[in-house]
């Protein structure tokens, strides 16, 4: 552990994801700690690369194999803002589309696996913080290379299949309509593959699983 790391006693737990926990330190920095043994140095390298190419990501302060120390960006997640201010759904959908357009312009680094263009592969509203200087993209653990249309389709699928109260479904429709109106329309062709990826990534409840299986049928698009 480097000098930049702090003891667990000086941290407050903020959140837990699929394979990691996030803490805030007493000095205001965030610590992402893996629970699965995934080496976080590649994610840190990705974030440093993106920052150098104008993509809004948290600034990396320190990293070891199992801990990534980064800037804390104050502000709500885009997913929270959709719920709290549904009248902004259309403009938020446009903002997410704009983040994809910014990724379109960045050449994928050589250290990423695969072939093709830069992909986040998990760019949904829950991974975007609406910070004081604009949206900031989090969680680059799944970054790879491939078809940009697949990245867009995954963003659409992640929200399209989310379980929502009936009163929130109109807000989701407005968000997704605005999002798809501002991205490459050919992204729709990648929806079946995006649904397959999401289905295979983690355990899904029966309702989401059924929705994803329907989306995997190309005749439905």
């Amino acid at each position: 552990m480097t000098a930049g790391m702090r003891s667990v006693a000086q941290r407050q737990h903020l959140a837990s994801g699929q394979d990691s926990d996030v803490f805030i330190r007493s000095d205001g920095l965030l610590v992402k700690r893996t629970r699965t043994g995934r080496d976080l140095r590649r994610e840190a390298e990705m974030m440093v690369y993106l920052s150098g190419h104008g993509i809004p990501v948290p600034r990396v302060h320190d990293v070891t194999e199992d801990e990534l120390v980064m800037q804390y960006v104050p502000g709500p997640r885009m997913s929270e803002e959709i719920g709290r201010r549904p009248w902004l759904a259309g403009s938020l959908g446009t903002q997410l589309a704009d983040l994809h357009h910014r990724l379109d312009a960045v050449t994928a680094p050589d250290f990423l696996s695969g072939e093709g263009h830069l992909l986040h592969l998990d760019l949904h509203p829950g991974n975007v913080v609406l910070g004081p200087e604009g949206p900031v993209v989090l969680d680059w653990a799944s970054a790879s290379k491939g078809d940009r249309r697949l990245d867009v389709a995954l963003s659409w699928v992640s929200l399209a299949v989310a379980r929502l109260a009936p009163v929130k479904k109109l807000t989701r429709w407005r968000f997704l309509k605005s999002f798809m109106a501002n991205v490459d329309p050919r992204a729709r062709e990648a929806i079946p593959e995006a649904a397959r990826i999401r289905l295979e990534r983690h355990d899904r409840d029966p309702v989401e699983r059924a929705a994803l299986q329907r989306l995997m049928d190309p005749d439905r698009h």
Side-chain angles (χ1 to χ4, degrees):
M1 182 174 292
T2 69
M5 303 298 185
R6 304 293 177 87
S7 69
V8 172
Q10 293 174 291
R11 306 172 181 179
Q12 178 183 351
H13 180 261
L14 285 186
S16 294
Q18 293 288 343
D19 70 351
S20 61
D21 299 304
V22 179
F23 304 85
I24 187 165
R25 294 195 325 196
S26 56
D27 59 4
L29 295 177
L30 286 186
V31 180
K32 182 175 185 177
R33 181 173 180 81
T34 181
R35 294 194 309 272
T36 62
R38 177 173 66 86
D39 191 338
L40 296 179
R41 291 175 295 183
R42 177 53 57 86
E43 185 173 356
E45 186 179 13
M46 185 75 240
M47 293 167 66
V48 171
Y49 177 86
L50 291 164
S51 180
H53 287 76
I55 301 299
V57 298
R59 184 170 61 257
V60 173
H61 284 258
D62 206 348
V63 66
T64 63
E65 289 186 24
D66 58 0
E67 288 195 350
L68 169 57
V69 181
M70 69 189 104
Q71 170 193 13
Y72 169 67
V73 180
R77 300 292 178 103
M78 182 179 283
S79 54
E80 296 170 338
E81 195 75 342
I82 296 170
R84 287 203 303 247
R85 301 182 179 180
W87 60 89
L88 295 179
S91 63
L92 292 171
T94 301
Q95 284 189 46
L96 186 62
D98 179 65
L99 289 171
H100 273 287
H101 286 304
R102 295 179 72 170
L103 292 181
D104 289 342
V106 178
T107 301
D110 293 337
F111 58 77
L112 280 184
S113 61
E115 297 182 357
H117 300 283
L118 174 63
L119 307 183
H120 181 286
L121 290 182
D122 204 17
L123 184 45
H124 55 74
N127 275 336
V128 179
V129 173
L130 301 177
E133 299 180 6
V136 176
V137 183
L138 310 178
D139 196 356
W140 290 89
S142 300
S144 185
K145 294 179 183 177
D147 189 332
R148 288 287 311 139
R149 293 173 294 180
L150 178 61
D151 217 19
V152 173
L154 274 163
S155 292
W156 184 89
V157 166
S158 67
L159 192 57
V161 301
R163 297 188 69 176
L164 299 175
V167 70
K168 294 185 177 181
K169 290 183 178 180
L170 179 59
T171 301
R172 171 169 63 186
W173 178 81
R174 289 172 176 163
F175 180 94
L176 291 175
K177 180 181 179 182
S178 175
F179 174 68
M180 293 303 285
N182 288 280
V183 295
D184 185 345
R186 296 176 300 166
R188 294 183 182 276
E189 301 168 6
I191 287 176
E193 176 65 9
R196 183 193 64 77
I197 290 173
R198 184 171 176 84
L199 186 62
E200 292 180 353
R201 237 179 217 171
H202 307 295
D203 291 336
R204 303 294 176 188
D205 64 62
V207 174
E208 181 175 346
R209 178 174 292 274
L212 289 169
Q213 289 173 335
R214 288 193 296 270
L215 289 174
M216 289 167 62
D217 181 357
D219 293 334
R220 293 178 179 266
H221 305 289

